[in-house]
């Protein structure tokens, strides 16, 4: 395809108009004038008005587009290089002093140089000729495609006149056709128009225009598609509305109700059957009447309906209604849990009062004890004994007040709090609700759940409990709330004051043996899919597990190791060994590895040298023994304590040292015994924080043993707070400490005299078997037992004689 200069009639005209003269240049914004096109221009700049006014008979100008339309006073460098020479046909003066100019494009020109810039620009220009190809089939196809696309755009556009289709079809010159189409399309940008104006090769100009037309057709089709979709939706909505109105009219004639009215009537019936208090029913009917006036398509319709449904389904007057049977309740409690006499007695007392006074308010109980002693399972057992539904709410890690009280209805996705949700799930207004792990409640910027529980757990207030979502009072006074905690320190005092504390202490070895035989072994045999006759746990094997594979107050770890043994047996059965397995120490060593807790030898070995004694400590996991070591070295009377010791424990050490120094003569020591030595007390397991006053007597014993170089009596443990005058004060956690010492193989235990009552109430003769308990009211009573070889030096100061209970004799 070869390009040849076109021989259009406009060429002589362009040359005649430009003819080497200096022609005025009219800068325009966002406008491109094409040859053969008539374009009205609004001229408002002072320089442009002067240009128009200066035109005489020769009304020829060059229209050139600005590079930047925001430029008010363009310079030659702000103008495009190619523009259109035009003839001004008419000038109309406007009221605002601007001019309305009708111009007709004649031909393309290139600006060679600007000869004048003031008061308006003039320039020398040269004519640009269209380079048209010889006619070929490909060129013809391109022209026809451009014309067809232009006609399609005109036919689908509501703003373009249909006459443009006829005019375009009658133009035979390719260059003129492109210019006509480009000047007729309003969607082309200024840059696209300028690009078409600057393209003198007609084939390139046609191809560029073809691309722009194809793009516009695609945009029009998408717009039409979107418009049709929107119109269809509107028509569907209108259709649904008309059909719904017709349905209402038909139902009205037939005496029937529509679905919305039927739903309203169902809710009304639920409200009538719910047995609500008058105040609540009034609020529910108010919301129901409001719902009846709303359109089902309204935004608040579903929210209001959900609220009414929550009110209607709550058990306002529905109780469990089961008859109280004390003997049956006792049987169930004994069947589910071994021992725990205090808890069982408290529940049976509650049932007895409830039988005499059915309207009594439910107590708020709080089970406190180490992990694994059965606090949570005890709640289920109590619910079964009472014949009530059981619901459990885990408070561990909860830090949002709305979890207890609920969210207000103004929030999206609002729901009642966990208390009301539990009531709904229970379907009665007197279930047993367990608030598990109440000591692990969180607190942050969203509120304090512990404070929200103050109303819930107060029998004097919870009969009018208001959930934020319901915003009507609900009576919680019939609910039996049971809280559980591992320790009470994190629980706020006002919340603690509302609960009846029932401590659950750790189990002894004998109790663990009974629990394992009655509950743990059968459960693990069943859960691991083996038959009861395929495995046997003798008492000796269970005792060995308790002593050497677990060290805990509860039985959770014990159940885990029993489960491990059962899984090993299940594997043996699957592998074809169906012979009954009798668990022995050798089997346990094979299945579980070597013993993990060495208790008997540990105490005896570590207290052989002077300056080492065994204390007893309470932990959230139960009791434990605590080794306390002291040493001396050359120095200047220094005193050092290590082992992550808390402030209270450090003060106990100082009190113990003061007592030893003030009674040095009675201990056979020089008054200035620490003048040339430094003392160091260390509590091993340095990674574990330790605190509390109960190791005071142990500290004094350690110092006395070190300084007199007399070892403490073997297998002896002690606990008690010491004062500066040497008195021994009572401490807590006696049962846990006693059982921990017994598990460790201790044979002699020294306790404060005032803790005798705790021993008599909490410890059974079976627990105390093989252990000698000494009660001390003064430190010298302790030293008389722990350091018997020192007893001759110490003069008894205690007013009460030493009391010894030998359980073997008892």
């Amino acid at each position: 395809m070869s390009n040849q200069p076109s021989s259009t009639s406009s060429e002589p005209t362009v040359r005649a108009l430009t003819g080497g003269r200096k022609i005025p240049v009219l800068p325009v914004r966002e406008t491109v004038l094409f040859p053969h096109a008539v374009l009205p221009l609004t001229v408002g700049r002072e320089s442009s008005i002067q240009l128009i006014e200066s035109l005489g008979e020769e009304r020829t100008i060059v229209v050139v587009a600005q590079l930047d339309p925001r430029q008010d006073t363009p310079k030659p460098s702000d103008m495009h290089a190619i523009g259109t020479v035009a003839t001004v046909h008419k000038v109309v003066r406007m009221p605002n002093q601007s001019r309305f100019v009708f111009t007709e494009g004649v031909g393309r020109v290139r600006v060679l140089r600007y000869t004048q810039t003031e008061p308006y620009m003039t320039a020398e220009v040269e004519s640009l000729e269209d380079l048209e190809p010889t006619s070929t089939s490909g060129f013809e196809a391109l022209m026809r495609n451009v014309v067809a696309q232009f006609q399609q755009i005109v036919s689908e556009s509501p703003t373009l006149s249909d006459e443009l289709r006829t005019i375009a079809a009658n133009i035979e010159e390719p260059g003129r056709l492109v210019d006509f189409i480009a000047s007729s399309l309003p969607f082309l940008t200024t840059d696209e128009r300028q690009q078409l104006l600057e393209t003198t090769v007609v084939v390139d100009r046609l191809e560029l225009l073809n691309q722009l037309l194809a793009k516009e057709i695609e945009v029009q089709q998408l717009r039409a598609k979107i418009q049709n979709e929107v119109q269809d939706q509107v028509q569907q909505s209108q259709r649904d509305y008309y059909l719904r109105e017709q349905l209402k009219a038909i139902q009205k004639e037939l005496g029937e109700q529509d679905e919305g009215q039927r739903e309203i009537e169902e809710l009304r019936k639920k409200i009538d059957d719910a047995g609500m208090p008058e105040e609540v029913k009034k609020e529910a009917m108010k919301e129901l009447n409001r719902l009846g006036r709303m359109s089902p398509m309204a935004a608040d319709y579903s929210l209001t309906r959900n609220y009414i449904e929550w009110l209607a389904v709550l058990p306002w007057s529905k109780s469990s209604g089961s008859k109280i049977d004390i003997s049956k309740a006792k049987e169930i409690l004994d069947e589910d849990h071994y021992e725990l006499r205090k808890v069982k007695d408290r529940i049976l007392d509650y049932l007895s009062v409830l039988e005499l006074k059915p309207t009594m308010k439910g107590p708020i109980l709080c089970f406190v004890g180490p992990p694994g002693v059965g606090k949570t399972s005890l709640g289920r057992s109590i619910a079964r004994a009472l014949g009530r539904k059981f619901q459990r709410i885990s408070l561990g890690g909860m830090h949002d007040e709305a979890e207890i009280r609920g969210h207000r209805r103004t929030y999206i996705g609002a729901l009642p709090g966990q208390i009301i949700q539990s009531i709904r799930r229970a379907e009665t207004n007197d279930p047993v609700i367990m608030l598990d792990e109440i000591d692990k409640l969180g607190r942050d910027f969203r509120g304090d759940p512990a404070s929200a529980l103050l109303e819930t757990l107060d029998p004097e207030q919870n009969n009018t409990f208001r959930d934020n979502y319901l915003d009507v009072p609900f009576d919680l006074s019939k609910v039996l709330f049971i809280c559980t905690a591992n320790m009470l320190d994190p629980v706020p005092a006002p919340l603690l004051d509302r609960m009846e504390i029932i401590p659950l202490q750790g189990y002894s070895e004998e109790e663990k043996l009974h629990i394992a035989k009655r509950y743990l072994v059968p459960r693990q045999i069943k859960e691991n899919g083996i038959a009861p006759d395929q495995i046997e746990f003798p008492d000796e094997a269970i005792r060995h597990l308790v002593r050497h594979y677990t060290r805990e107050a509860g039985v959770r770890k014990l159940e885990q190791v029993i489960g491990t043994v059962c899984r090993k047996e299940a594997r043996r059965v699957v592998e074809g060994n169906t012979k009954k397995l009798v668990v022995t120490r050798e089997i346990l060593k094979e299945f579980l590895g070597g013993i993990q807790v060495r208790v008997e030898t540990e105490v005896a070995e570590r207290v052989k040298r002077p300056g080492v004694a065994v204390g007893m400590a309470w932990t959230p996991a139960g009791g434990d023994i605590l080794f306390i070591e002291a040493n001396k070295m050359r120095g200047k009377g220094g005193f050092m304590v290590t082992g992550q010791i808390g402030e209270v424990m450090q003060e106990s050490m100082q009190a113990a040292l003061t007592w030893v120094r003030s009674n040095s003569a009675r201990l056979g020591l020089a008054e200035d015994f620490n003048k040339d030595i430094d003392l160091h007390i260390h509590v091993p397991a340095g990674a574990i924080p330790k605190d509390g006053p109960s190791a005071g007597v142990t500290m004094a014993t350690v110092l006395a043993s070190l300084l007199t170089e007399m070892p403490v009596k073997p297998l002896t443990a002690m606990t008690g707070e010491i004062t500066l005058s040497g008195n021994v004060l009572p401490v807590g956690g006696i049962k846990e400490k006693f059982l921990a010492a017994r598990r460790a193989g201790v044979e002699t235990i020294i306790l404060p005299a005032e803790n005798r009552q705790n021993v008599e109430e909490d410890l059974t003769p079976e627990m105390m078997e093989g252990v000698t308990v000494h009660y001390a009211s003064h430190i010298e009573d302790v030293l008389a037992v722990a350091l018997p070889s020192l007893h001759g030096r110490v003069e008894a100061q205690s007013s009460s004689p030493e009391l010894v209970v030998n359980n073997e004799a008892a």
Side-chain angles (χ1 to χ4, degrees), residues 627-735:
F627 288 95
I628 298 177
E629 301 177 352
N631 214 333
K632 61 182 178 178
M633 66 219 85
R634 294 174 61 88
K636 298 181 179 181
F639 183 59
M640 187 189 333
V641 293
T642 54
Q644 275 220 61
I645 308 299
E647 289 185 7
V648 177
M649 203 166 185
Q650 290 183 32
E651 291 171 358
S652 293
M653 291 180 176
Q654 292 286 352
L657 178 61
T658 300
W659 184 88
V660 171
R661 289 181 62 185
S662 63
N663 293 272
S664 56
R666 295 179 182 177
L667 299 175
L669 302 174
E671 287 190 16
D672 56 350
F673 67 87
N674 64 333
K675 178 180 178 183
D676 299 321
I677 61 171
D678 286 343
L679 294 175
H680 182 179
I681 294 184
H682 178 66
V683 185
I688 303 173
K690 311 163 194 73
D691 203 359
S694 64
V697 297
T698 317
M699 310 280 186
T701 304
V702 164
L703 290 173
S705 170
L706 173 71
L707 296 171
T708 60
E709 298 184 355
M710 296 179 184
V712 175
K713 180 181 178 181
L715 301 178
T716 299
M718 61 198 76
T719 185
E721 181 179 353
I722 188 174
T723 67
L724 288 178
S725 57
N727 293 324
V728 179
L729 302 182
V731 292
I734 293 299
K735 182 180 179 182

Side-chain angles (χ1 to χ4, degrees), residues 429-482:
N429 62 3
D430 59 348
V432 175
I433 295 182
M434 171 159 281
L435 303 175
D436 218 1
E437 310 291 359
I438 197 170
D439 57 328
K440 297 173 183 63
L441 278 172
R443 179 180 183 178
D444 63 6
F445 63 93
R446 282 168 284 195
D448 182 7
S451 300
L453 282 173
L454 291 177
E455 178 190 6
T456 309
L457 299 182
D458 190 343
E460 299 299 324
Q461 299 180 34
N462 62 11
N463 59 338
T464 56
F465 173 75
R466 277 185 182 267
D467 186 274
N468 287 333
Y469 180 83
L470 299 181
D471 199 28
V472 292
F474 189 91
D475 186 4
L476 296 178
S477 62
K478 296 180 181 179
V479 177
L480 174 57
F481 286 102
I482 300 177

Side-chain angles (χ1 to χ4, degrees), residues 253 259 381 386 438 490 502 775:
E253 290 296 324
E259 186 177 346
S381 179
L386 295 174
I438 197 170
I502 300 178
Y775 296 97

Side-chain angles (χ1 to χ4, degrees), residues 13 34 75 140 152 177 392 401 404 488 506 641 666 710:
T13 309
F34 286 93
K75 300 174 184 176
E140 280 293 327
Q152 180 181 345
L177 174 67
R392 175 180 166 273
E401 177 196 354
I404 304 295
L488 296 177
V641 293
R666 295 179 182 177
M710 296 179 184

